[in-house]
Amino acid sequence: EVQLQASGGGLVQAGGSLRLSCAASGFTFDDYAIGWFRQAPGKEREGVSCISSSDGSTYYADSVKGRFTISSDNAKNTVSLQMNSLKPEDTAVYYCVFEEGPCYGSSWYGHDTDDYWGQGTLVTVSS
């Protein structure tokens, strides 16, 4: 069973930075997508960013392009999300998500796929 252990998050002022990390374990396939979704109170879930283990291809939501950077260490099965220039609208619970296959065929692109979710970590950006 896939297990995801997320860390990071917290409270930061607008314009500040935070880094989220997630470690994945318990899987056997080599080709996977891993990244982050978020959900703010009263809002729909949003796919924030994804990275493919096979070729390092990435996905970013328009709302975070140019501010967030995703990276991974395949040897350690970890993924990180560096969040810069944070805005109050980035406030949400962030979830580490894992799927078999690359990002472009995944739920980040709206496909109905099987995915695994870690526990959420709260990011709060004050104005």
Side-chain angles (χ1 to χ4, degrees):
E1 180 181 354
V2 176
Q3 294 186 336
L4 303 168
Q5 183 65 47
S7 61
L11 173 64
V12 66
Q13 289 187 333
S17 298
L18 283 174
R19 186 177 183 89
L20 304 181
S21 296
C22 178
S25 61
F27 60 95
T28 57
F29 33 86
D30 295 327
D31 185 12
Y32 60 85
I34 188 168
W36 304 87
F37 275 73
R38 69 185 180 185
Q39 187 159 26
K43 295 187 177 180
E44 292 188 357
R45 184 183 72 178
E46 178 185 23
V48 176
S49 184
C50 173
I51 187 165
S52 301
S53 67
S54 57
D55 60 4
S57 58
T58 58
Y59 164 86
Y60 293 96
D62 288 342
S63 57
V64 307
K65 283 180 180 176
R67 300 187 297 121
F68 291 11
T69 303
I70 193 167
S71 60
S72 66
D73 183 337
N74 288 349
K76 297 181 179 179
N77 298 326
T78 59
V79 62
S80 295
L81 185 69
Q82 179 65 39
M83 305 184 293
N84 298 329
S85 303
L86 282 161
K87 305 175 181 180
E89 50 264 44
D90 293 318
T91 295
V93 178
Y94 285 69
Y95 297 92
C96 181
V97 179
F98 181 100
E99 297 184 18
E100 185 175 4
C103 289
Y104 61 79
S106 71
S107 55
W108 281 272
Y109 282 83
H111 297 282
D112 185 13
T113 55
D114 292 333
D115 50 21
Y116 300 86
W117 287 59
Q119 85 282 8
T121 184
L122 178 62
V123 172
T124 303
V125 184
S126 63
S127 58

